[in-house]
């Protein structure tokens, strides 16, 4: 199975600070059809997860553009350019290129 | 507005069965692959099952293969998860999700305990 390693496990930030989360895959996530099925989710406390970024870098409708995704192959990054209070929670990367779909262990974003 | 509403969770004894349902609205259900994803208390996310938009193909991880069955009724905009031979490690909140995880329900808690 594909293992997604997220770092750091915990991130402390002040409001307005820019932060990045890394997601590294144990194998390439480039599908034979040319797509890379690597997505980013945010789970706020007490809520269901929500999709932020899909296919590495595409911003889901309604998601603020301070969120951005980048990467290719096995290395991916989620960047938040100017953290806001509503961004606190746990961030997960998830891959849909190889069965079974797998999730990273999560990165908890806290206020410093 | 997209809505996914899961029902059917509860307390069940090890070895018993439970069937979850998810009613979808606000999007064209039969255009989407659908999945179930679960989250054990205080833990991360685990994919449980997926089904193609027609229902013709299904996919499972080894942890539930042979015990869980995903199905759908496109006429009723409803997704199901039949869970048999339940184990304590199946205790989790079960989320109904659309393909590529764009849409999520509020989740239904399944507790497997004697």
């Amino acid at each position: 199975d594909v293992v997604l390693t997220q770092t750091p496990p915990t991130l402390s930030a002040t409001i307005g600070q820019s932060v990045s989360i890394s997601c590294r895959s144990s194998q390439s996530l480039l599908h034979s059809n040319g797509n890379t099925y690597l997505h980013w989710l945010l789970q706020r406390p007490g809520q269901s997860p929500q999709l932020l970024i899909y296919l590495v870098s595409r911003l889901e409708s309604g998601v603020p553009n301070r969120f951005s995704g980048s990467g290719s192959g096995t290395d991916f990054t989620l960047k938040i350019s100017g953290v806001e209070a509503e961004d606190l929670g746990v961030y997960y990367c998830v891959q849909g290129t190889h069965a079974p779909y797998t999730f990273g262990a999560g990165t908890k974003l806290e206020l410093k | 507005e997209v809505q996914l509403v899961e029902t059917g969770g509860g307390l069940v004894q090890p070895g018993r069965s439970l069937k979850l349902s998810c009613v979808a609205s606000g999007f064209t259900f039969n255009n989407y692959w659908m999945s179930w994803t679960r989250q054990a208390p205080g833990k991360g996310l685990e994919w449980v099952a997926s089904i193609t938009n027609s229902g013709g193909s299904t996919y499972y991880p080894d942890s539930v293969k042979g015990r869980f069955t995903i199905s759908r009724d496109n006429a009723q905009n409803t997704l199901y998860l039949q869970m048999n031979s339940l184990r304590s490690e199946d205790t989790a909140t079960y989320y109904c999700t659309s393909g590529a995880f764009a849409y999520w329900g509020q989740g239904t808690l399944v507790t497997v305990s004697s």
Side-chain angles (χ1 to χ4, degrees):
Chain A
D1 297 358
V2 173
V3 176
L4 297 180
T5 302
Q6 279 185 243
T7 54
T10 305
L11 197 49
S12 295
T14 56
I15 300 300
Q17 182 180 352
S18 292
V19 298
S20 293
I21 299 170
S22 170
C23 178
R24 290 190 170 174
S25 174
S26 59
Q27 57 185 280
S28 175
L29 299 183
L30 177 63
H31 194 278
S32 56
N33 66 10
N35 288 327
T36 299
Y37 294 94
L38 187 284
H39 320 303
W40 290 94
L41 309 169
L42 165 61
Q43 186 172 31
R44 296 186 175 96
Q47 295 187 17
S48 303
Q50 68 167 105
L51 182 67
L52 298 175
I53 301 283
Y54 63 99
L55 297 176
V56 180
S57 59
R58 301 184 187 185
L59 197 65
E60 174 68 356
S61 176
V63 174
N65 61 11
R66 63 179 178 274
F67 292 94
S68 62
S70 63
S72 64
T74 61
D75 287 349
F76 304 92
T77 301
L78 175 71
K79 183 176 181 179
I80 311 172
S81 300
V83 168
E84 298 193 6
E86 66 181 20
D87 300 337
L88 304 184
V90 181
Y91 291 80
Y92 295 95
C93 55
V94 54
Q95 68 85 20
T97 297
H98 305 285
Y101 303 150
T102 48
F103 293 82
T107 294
K108 186 175 184 179
L109 178 61
E110 303 174 327
L111 270 182
K112 189 180 291 183
Chain B
E1 179 193 4
V2 170
Q3 279 200 309
L4 295 171
V5 180
E6 303 99 332
T7 56
L11 175 63
V12 61
Q13 293 179 327
R16 304 298 291 265
S17 298
L18 204 61
K19 186 172 186 177
L20 307 182
S21 299
C22 168
V23 176
S25 60
F27 65 104
T28 306
F29 182 71
N30 60 12
N31 282 354
Y32 284 75
W33 283 44
M34 296 295 294
S35 298
W36 290 95
T37 299
R38 68 185 178 184
Q39 186 170 37
K43 302 297 184 181
L45 299 166
E46 180 187 17
W47 169 69
V48 171
S50 291
I51 187 167
T52 56
N53 51 330
S54 67
S57 294
T58 56
Y59 306 89
Y60 308 91
D62 287 345
S63 57
V64 308
K65 195 175 295 182
R67 299 189 299 123
F68 289 12
T69 302
I70 188 172
S71 62
R72 65 191 297 162
D73 181 341
N74 285 344
Q76 300 293 324
N77 284 0
T78 303
L79 180 72
Y80 301 101
L81 184 67
Q82 176 68 47
M83 303 185 293
N84 298 332
S85 303
L86 282 162
R87 306 167 180 168
S88 58
E89 56 263 37
D90 296 318
T91 294
T93 295
Y94 285 73
Y95 295 101
C96 169
T97 67
S98 69
F101 306 103
Y103 307 138
W104 291 71
Q106 84 288 349
T108 188
L109 178 61
V110 173
T111 303
V112 183
S113 174
S114 54

